[in-house]
Structures are given as structure tokens and as C-alpha cells.
Amino acid sequence: MKYIAGVDIGGTNTKIGILDEEGDIIIKKSIKTLSLDGVEKTMMRIWETICELLREKNINIDNLEGIGMGIPGPVKNQEIVGFFANFPWEKNLNIAEIFKNISGKITKVENDVNVIALGEAKHGAGKGSKSSVTIALGTGIGGGICIEGKIISGFSGAGGEVGHMKLVKDGKLCGCGQRGCFEAYASATGIEREAISRLKVNKTNELYKKLNGQIDKLEAKDVFECAKEGDKFSLDIVEYESEYLAMGIGNILNLINPEKIILSGGVSLAGDILLDRVKEKLPKYAMGVTLQDGFKIEIGILEENAGIYGAAALIG
Amino acid sequence: MKYIAGVDIGGTNTKIGILDEEGDIIIKKSIKTLSLDGVEKTMMRIWETICELLREKNINIDNLEGIGMGIPGPVKNQEIVGFFANFPWEKNLNIAEIFKNISGKITKVENDVNVIALGEAKHGAGKGSKSSVTIALGTGIGGGICIEGKIISGFSGAGGEVGHMKLVKDGKLCGCGQRGCFEAYASATGIEREAISRLKVNKTNELYKKLNGQIDKLEAKDVFECAKEGDKFSLDIVEYESEYLAMGIGNILNLINPEKIILSGGVSLAGDILLDRVKEKLPKYAMGVTLQDGFKIEIGILEENAGIYGAAALIG
């Protein structure tokens, strides 16, 4: 029996799982990333945890085929990380080589959101589809394009960075420093900005009541909760969100024409109240042909395990 | 010696070429498409022309390996055309099968702009690049995404339809019936619409003089010609064009992150006056990482042979 380790490195926590030949996670553990200790120590700690998990399952280390890793940043050739989004590590580090030197095992690295997309494509909502684009709607918006089982990583490792597609010329300022990005409108932060801005001038609504007037405490999920309870003010914000989401997804459909769009991340948990509106608005933005032949837009199903599954899918 | 036929089927003319093993066009001919005669007759006429070209070069028909075809419309599995953009032929025709039955040869079909993109990627401006996106800027805007020698055809054959990516929410009406499309702003038609609209209120410029006041005769190339001569009014329109072109290209870069962007079609003939402005504006729209590592934006070089080259590249 052969095994693969899937590692999902995040800003705070790193999730590590061991998968068997059927592709099932047989054991997993979350450790602190502690990136301030430096790249070598973090990688050592990850390798020690992999060994510990193998021991717990009485698996001989020789039966570990390789390690797949998802990491925040653009990754070239599944080995070199252009820069790290959250870690104080140097640029253009060959993480695959560093980890191979520590472990003696084949190691492949990919951008964290690309890895989530690969996970959903192979083991999640996209299973059985020839192509899918996964859009991770959280604090920001990330994405991954998966065609016939392969991630479109891009020339500099920035493939699938859908969040920085511009929807509005000279539009709202984005965290990236540019203007009018999809992320500035349709991420959780985008929803929060819009809601806060509207609450400044309208306080007679359920959302304001829910927050007890503490506007700065507002989170995107508060908007969805009030909308589900029928608050007109919150429903209007959901309309706003779904309009830009449909525009962004429409653009992806016109360029990539995938079999499936998979929404993941915190905002996707809003569920049907958002998804139904997006579906209704898509024909305004996507060419008709891209919405036919059984095209589907769905919510991701792997949740916190998507990264482990996708990282492991880089191997073999 | 093996040979391949490349066929570029257009609304009016069909270009047919025979390529040798080195990938060079050794003979070619253009015939009328005459689509009103029906699909069978058009295909028969194409096959007869291929046979005629082979005879002229004393090539035995047994040495013809196969036929590649570019056709206007979305193409699935390189065989079935969802609908024909210009021809009165029925939907979902298996053109590959029809042609194989006539010729007895392997036949592969792909969308005409995807085929141009494949031609430029393999034999033209994109030769040697791992990935390229070709944008055909003509009356409309088409595109093709080529990654590691393969076209992203899409689930319904609509991959690379960059012209209908929306740049402006509820923007200018496009020929497709939707609003705010890249094509409505940055195609030759887009330039002409903008120029005509501006000429309605400003007649003291070189462009108006050049047209002798016959605004309805205006073509995009008139704008570029006057701009090159320093006409401020025309230069402003080129600025407008380059801004939307940079926004559209920026979005493609953020999604696909290709090694090269190749501009082809009539508008691309404007050359540096347009290209320099687009390059200057790209950093406002594209993520910095996508413009590094030797990324290039260039004008296509295959011109009217791009379709023949690309169609032939579908085989083998």
C-alpha cells in the first residue's frame, strides 16, 4: 500500500493529512505554522508531524510516495514560490527542493487556492467534471482553474487569480493597491465595506439592530443572516453582492467555459440566498452557450479538508 | 514523407493549405465557401481542392495524414460545431465525421479563432512559449488560449471568447445582445462607434477633414492614420481604445497568467502607436507578478496564414 501526504500551509495553522491509495484521509493533524521561526524550521516541523502520523498508523516511511503542499503565494513549476503572501521568507525559494532534502521524498508545491481547486475538482464538487473553476470567497477572492485534472498554474504561478480581475474601471480601491477588482466588490470584505457605507446613512433596518449600532463589528455573515430573516436593507446588499459575483463568474465562463463553477470559502456558506440570485443574474453576463449542456454552479463540499485533498492530488 | 491539410473556413472564403513534415505550407489556395449550397457540397469542394493541391505537388493521397479545420462557431471535442456563426447549417453538426466520411482521413475541427491562436502559438509569435493567449482584434474580438501546445476549447466549445468578457456593468450594447463587452469597446467597431459619436460634437480635427465630413465612411484605420500624423482628436480615441484594451488584457493576465499575449487582426496593424500605450497602461490592471519573468505582448506574425497553420497543428 502506498500513501501520500497532503500539507495545507496557512498563515496561522498548517493542516497535514495522510491519504491512502483510495484517496481517503486516514489521519490528519493541525499544527501552528510559526513562520517567524524561518522556513527550515517550519518545514522540519511539518516533516516531523508527517512521520508522527505515519507511526501512529504503523505505516513504514518507505511506503510514503511523496508530499504535496499548498502555500499562499505564486508557485512556479510546482517548486519555486515567487513570494510568500504572509510569511517573512525570502523570495523565489525552492520549497520543493528544501522539503525533498529534509524528507528524501518527492515534493510538489502549488498555490494554496489552486490546491483547494484541485481538491474540489478531483475529490469534491467537481468530481467527474472535465473542467472546473473554484472561486474561494473569503476575506479576499482567490481561484483555481482545473482542466482535465490539471491546474492552470500560469507562467509566474499566478494562474487563476480571479480576485484581481477588474470589474469597474477606476473603481473601488482593492487591498492589492489597484482599483475595481472583483475582490473589492464580492469578497466578505467587499460586502462589509458596502454594508458599513450604507449603514452610515440608513439606521432603520434589522442589520443595524442586530449590531446594536456597533457598525464596526459587522461581518458579512450578519448581512446574510438578516437577509434570510427578510430584512429589506440586507437583501439589497445581497442583491449588490450577487450582481458583481455574477459579473465576475460570467467573465470566467466567457474565458474558460468550464463544466462547473465551484464556490468555496466563508461567503459561499450563505448558500441558496446568494446562489439563487447569482444563477438568476448570470445570463446577463455569460454567453448563453457557456450556460448550456449541463453547466452547473455549486458550493464546494470538502470544506477545511479541500487543501489536504488537493495537495495530495499533486502527487501521482 | 507525410503531409497535413490545414483548412480555414471563413464566411466568404476558405483557405486551404498543404503542410509538409517541417510544418511549412508547400502549396495553398483560396476558394469560395458558398455555404448556401449546404454543408455537404462545401465539404466536397474543400476535399476536391485538397486532392487538386496534392496532385499539383505529385503527392500520393496515401501520404496525407489528416485534415485540420478552423470554423466560425463553438466546437466540441474537435468534432461537433454547436452552431455556425455565419452559415445556414443546422446546429450540432459533426463536421469531423462528415469530412472523414468524404475523405477517409482523420479530421479534427476547432473554432476559427482558437485555430489562429494555435497557429501563432506553434508557428508564429508564440513559438517557444509555454503559454500564450491570442486576441484577434477585428470587427469583433475573438481569442484563443493555448497552454503547452493545447487549446482550451471549453466545455461547450466557447473557451477563449474574451470578446464577451464584461468590462463595464450595464455598459455599451454589444452585437451579442449583452452590455459592456470588451468587444463593444476595443474592437474596430468599438473604435468606430466612439469616433463617430465624438465627431458628432467636434468637427475641427484632422479626422473629420480626412473623411470630408462623411462620418459614416469612417473606419478604425482612419483614426490610427490621423493619430500617427499627430491629430489630438484621433490620439484621444487611441488613448480610449488602449485603456479598454489594457483592462481586457489585464483581466486575461490575472486569470491565465500566460507567457505571451499575441494581438492579431486588423486593429493590431496599428502597431506601436497602440501597443506602446497598452504596455504603459497594463500595470494599472494586471497584477505585477504577471508582467514579470520575461512576459511579452506582441503582434502576431502569421497574418492570413495563421488559420492554415493552426488548423494543420490540430493533427499529430
Side-chain angles (χ1 to χ4, degrees):
Chain A
M1 192 80 164
K2 285 281 183 190
Y3 298 86
I4 296 171
V7 181
D8 179 8
I9 306 183
T12 309
N13 298 306
T14 292
K15 289 171 233 160
I16 301 166
I18 307 292
L19 286 84
D20 62 17
E21 276 174 5
E22 275 85 55
D24 293 321
I25 298 173
I26 54 165
I27 186 168
K28 62 173 182 168
K29 188 177 177 179
S30 180
I31 62 170
K32 294 285 164 203
T33 304
L34 302 175
S35 65
L36 292 173
D37 290 351
V39 61
E40 295 281 347
K41 284 202 179 163
T42 299
M43 293 301 148
M44 279 300 295
R45 211 175 311 112
I46 291 170
W47 176 235
E48 282 159 13
T49 307
I50 291 172
C51 293
E52 178 195 320
L53 293 174
L54 291 172
R55 271 195 308 274
E56 269 187 56
K57 284 286 174 182
N58 289 315
I59 297 165
N60 190 308
I61 207 165
D62 292 343
N63 292 330
L64 184 71
E65 211 178 324
I67 298 109
M69 279 188 187
I71 205 155
V75 183
K76 277 199 279 193
N77 302 322
Q78 302 196 325
E79 48 186 18
I80 298 162
V81 184
F83 58 85
F84 296 85
N86 312 307
F87 312 153
W89 299 349
E90 58 179 299
K91 285 183 174 189
N92 295 314
L93 272 186
N94 192 325
I95 291 287
E97 196 174 73
I98 291 172
F99 204 84
K100 202 185 150 204
N101 288 340
I102 292 172
S103 66
K105 299 286 180 181
I106 295 166
T107 308
K108 291 186 180 174
V109 185
E110 190 43 90
N111 168 270
D112 57 347
V113 188
N114 281 349
V115 152
I116 288 173
L118 187 61
E120 287 289 353
K122 288 205 166 174
H123 300 279
K127 201 173 169 179
S129 300
K130 276 193 181 172
S131 55
S132 57
V133 178
T134 297
I135 307 174
L137 300 164
T139 311
I141 296 183
I145 303 165
C146 195
I147 297 176
E148 284 169 10
K150 282 195 168 178
I151 280 292
I152 306 295
S153 296
F155 177 54
S156 340
E161 281 288 357
V162 301
H164 301 287
M165 150 173 61
K166 306 298 174 281
L167 297 189
V168 181
K169 195 164 161 300
D170 306 312
K172 280 189 186 174
L173 187 65
C174 179
C176 73
Q178 296 183 332
R179 287 189 170 274
C181 297
F182 186 24
E183 175 170 310
Y185 292 83
S187 65
T189 317
I191 297 168
E192 289 157 12
R193 287 166 79 177
E194 185 64 22
I196 288 169
S197 153
R198 294 186 186 198
L199 283 170
K200 288 275 182 203
V201 294
N202 181 335
K203 298 185 197 315
T204 55
N205 56 70
E206 293 305 313
L207 184 59
Y208 190 81
K209 260 191 222 162
K210 183 177 197 292
L211 297 165
N212 291 318
Q214 290 183 284
I215 298 181
D216 55 321
K217 294 271 163 62
L218 179 139
E219 286 182 56
K221 66 177 165 52
D222 298 321
V223 177
F224 290 114
E225 278 171 20
C226 288
K228 281 176 191 170
E229 285 161 19
D231 179 39
K232 172 79 171 59
F233 177 87
S234 301
L235 278 165
D236 281 350
I237 300 168
V238 176
E239 280 292 326
Y240 168 93
E241 158 75 6
S242 62
E243 193 78 43
Y244 284 102
L245 208 44
M247 185 175 176
I249 293 171
N251 282 355
I252 294 167
L253 290 179
N254 292 342
L255 260 70
I256 314 290
N257 182 205
E259 186 170 348
K260 225 165 227 182
I261 290 280
I262 300 165
L263 303 182
S264 71
V267 175
S268 75
L269 300 178
D272 288 344
I273 196 167
L274 185 62
L275 199 56
D276 289 347
R277 284 171 171 76
V278 170
K279 284 181 185 169
E280 181 196 304
K281 292 174 172 68
L282 263 182
K284 185 175 155 188
Y285 300 105
M287 290 187 303
V289 64
T290 67
L291 300 173
Q292 294 166 358
D293 297 331
F295 160 78
K296 277 190 183 146
I297 171 165
E298 289 178 4
I299 307 290
I301 57 174
L302 297 181
E303 298 177 4
E304 81 280 0
N305 288 332
I308 294 177
Y309 277 116
L314 294 170
I315 303 294
Chain B
M1 192 82 162
K2 284 282 184 187
Y3 298 87
I4 295 171
V7 181
D8 180 8
I9 307 182
T12 310
N13 297 306
T14 291
K15 290 172 232 159
I16 301 166
I18 307 292
L19 286 84
D20 63 16
E21 276 175 5
E22 275 85 55
D24 294 321
I25 297 173
I26 54 165
I27 186 168
K28 62 172 181 167
K29 188 177 176 179
S30 179
I31 62 170
K32 294 286 164 203
T33 304
L34 302 175
S35 64
L36 291 175
D37 290 351
V39 61
E40 293 280 347
K41 283 201 178 163
T42 299
M43 292 301 149
M44 278 301 295
R45 212 176 311 110
I46 291 170
W47 176 236
E48 281 158 14
T49 307
I50 291 171
C51 293
E52 177 194 320
L53 294 174
L54 291 172
R55 271 195 308 272
E56 268 188 55
K57 284 286 174 184
N58 289 315
I59 296 165
N60 189 308
I61 207 164
D62 293 341
N63 291 329
L64 183 72
E65 212 180 322
I67 297 108
M69 280 188 184
I71 205 155
V75 183
K76 277 197 280 192
N77 302 321
Q78 303 196 325
E79 50 186 16
I80 298 161
V81 184
F83 57 85
F84 296 85
N86 313 306
F87 313 152
W89 299 350
E90 58 179 299
K91 285 184 175 189
N92 296 313
L93 272 185
N94 191 325
I95 291 287
E97 195 175 74
I98 291 172
F99 204 83
K100 203 186 149 207
N101 287 341
I102 292 171
S103 66
K105 300 284 179 183
I106 295 167
T107 308
K108 289 186 182 177
V109 185
E110 189 45 91
N111 168 270
D112 57 348
V113 187
N114 281 349
V115 152
I116 288 173
L118 187 61
E120 287 289 352
K122 289 206 165 173
H123 300 278
K127 201 173 169 178
S129 300
K130 276 193 180 171
S131 54
S132 57
V133 177
T134 298
I135 307 174
L137 299 164
T139 311
I141 296 184
I145 304 164
C146 194
I147 297 175
E148 285 169 10
K150 282 197 168 176
I151 281 292
I152 305 295
S153 296
F155 177 55
S156 346
E161 282 287 359
V162 302
H164 300 289
M165 150 175 59
K166 306 297 175 283
L167 297 188
V168 182
K169 196 165 159 300
D170 307 312
K172 280 189 186 175
L173 187 65
C174 179
C176 74
Q178 296 183 333
R179 288 190 170 273
C181 296
F182 186 24
E183 175 170 309
Y185 292 83
S187 66
T189 317
I191 297 168
E192 290 157 12
R193 287 167 78 176
E194 185 65 21
I196 289 171
S197 152
R198 293 186 186 198
L199 283 170
K200 288 274 181 201
V201 294
N202 181 334
K203 299 185 194 320
T204 56
N205 56 70
E206 293 305 313
L207 185 60
Y208 190 82
K209 261 191 221 160
K210 183 176 197 289
L211 296 165
N212 291 318
Q214 290 184 284
I215 299 182
D216 56 321
K217 293 271 163 65
L218 179 138
E219 287 183 55
K221 65 177 163 56
D222 298 320
V223 177
F224 290 113
E225 278 170 21
C226 288
K228 280 175 191 169
E229 285 160 20
D231 179 40
K232 171 79 171 63
F233 178 87
S234 300
L235 278 166
D236 281 350
I237 299 168
V238 176
E239 280 292 326
Y240 169 92
E241 158 76 5
S242 62
E243 192 78 43
Y244 284 102
L245 208 45
M247 186 175 175
I249 293 171
N251 281 356
I252 294 168
L253 290 178
N254 293 341
L255 258 70
I256 314 289
N257 182 206
E259 186 169 349
K260 226 163 227 183
I261 290 281
I262 300 165
L263 302 182
S264 72
V267 175
S268 75
L269 301 177
D272 287 345
I273 198 168
L274 185 63
L275 200 55
D276 288 348
R277 284 172 170 76
V278 170
K279 284 180 185 168
E280 182 196 303
K281 291 175 172 68
L282 264 183
K284 184 173 154 188
Y285 300 106
M287 290 186 302
V289 64
T290 67
L291 301 172
Q292 294 166 358
D293 298 330
F295 161 77
K296 278 188 182 144
I297 170 165
E298 289 178 4
I299 307 288
I301 57 174
L302 297 181
E303 298 178 2
E304 82 280 1
N305 288 331
I308 293 177
Y309 277 115
L314 293 171
I315 304 294

